[in-house]
Amino acid sequence: MSRFVSAAFCALFVFSMSSANASAATTYNASAGKAVYDVSCTNCHKMGIMGAPKLGDKAAWAPRIAQGMDILVSKSIKGFQGKKGMMMPKGGNPKLTDAEVGNAVAYIVQQSK
Ligand code: HEC
C-alpha cells in the first residue's frame, strides 16, 4: 500500500516536473552544463564510446538537434536505445537533477552546432 502511494506520488512529481520543464524550455544554462558534462557525459561523448555522438561532431548532432531540446532532454533523463547504441538514464549518474541533465544537453548542443 505505502509502495503504491509513493509510486503514485512519484509519478505525480515527475509529471509536475515535466510540465514545469516544458514551460521553462529556454532556461537551460549551457555554461553551468559544462561542469555536469565534464563529470558525467564526457566519458562516452568525448571519444564516441558505445556509439555516442561526439561533442563537436556537427554532422552527427545536426539530425539529433533537429528533434528539439525537449526531446533531447527527456531522452537524456530517461535513457534510450538508439540505432548506434544505448544511453543509460542521466548518462548513468542518477544523482543528477533533471535541470542538470538539461544544462549538460544545452552545453553539448552549443558545442556541436
Ligand atoms: C555510457 C555512455 C554514455 C554516457 C555516460 C552519456 N551518454 Fe549520451 N549517448 C550515449 C549513446 C550511445 C548515444 C547515442 C545512442 C544512439 O543514437 O543510438 C547518446 C546520445 C545522447 C544524446 C542524443 C539523443 C538523441 O535523441 O539523439 C544526448 C542529448 C545525450 N546523449 C546527452 C547526454 C548527457 C547530457 C550525458 C551526461 C549527463 C550523457 N549523454 C552521457 C551514451 C552515453
Side-chain angles (χ1 to χ4, degrees), residues 33 36-45 48-53 60-61 63-65 67-69 71-77 80-93 96-97 100-109:
V36 179
Y37 171 84
D38 284 343
V39 173
S40 301
C41 319
T42 189
N43 290 342
C44 295
H45 284 280
I49 306 291
M50 290 167 57
W61 278 101
R64 299 176 189 270
I65 291 169
Q67 299 174 103
M69 276 301 281
I71 291 181
L72 288 179
V73 172
S74 86
K75 283 163 86 177
S76 302
I77 291 168
F80 77 106
Q81 170 75 58
K83 289 194 191 98
K84 305 236 166 150
M86 200 268 287
M87 182 168 130
M88 290 165 282
K90 300 185 175 178
N93 185 351
L96 294 176
T97 64
E100 285 171 327
V101 175
N103 289 344
V105 174
Y107 173 72
I108 294 173
V109 167

Side-chain angles (χ1 to χ4, degrees), residues 20-30 69-70 103 106:
N21 275 349
S23 56
T26 52
T27 62
Y28 297 118
N29 183 334
M69 276 301 281
D70 286 354
N103 289 344

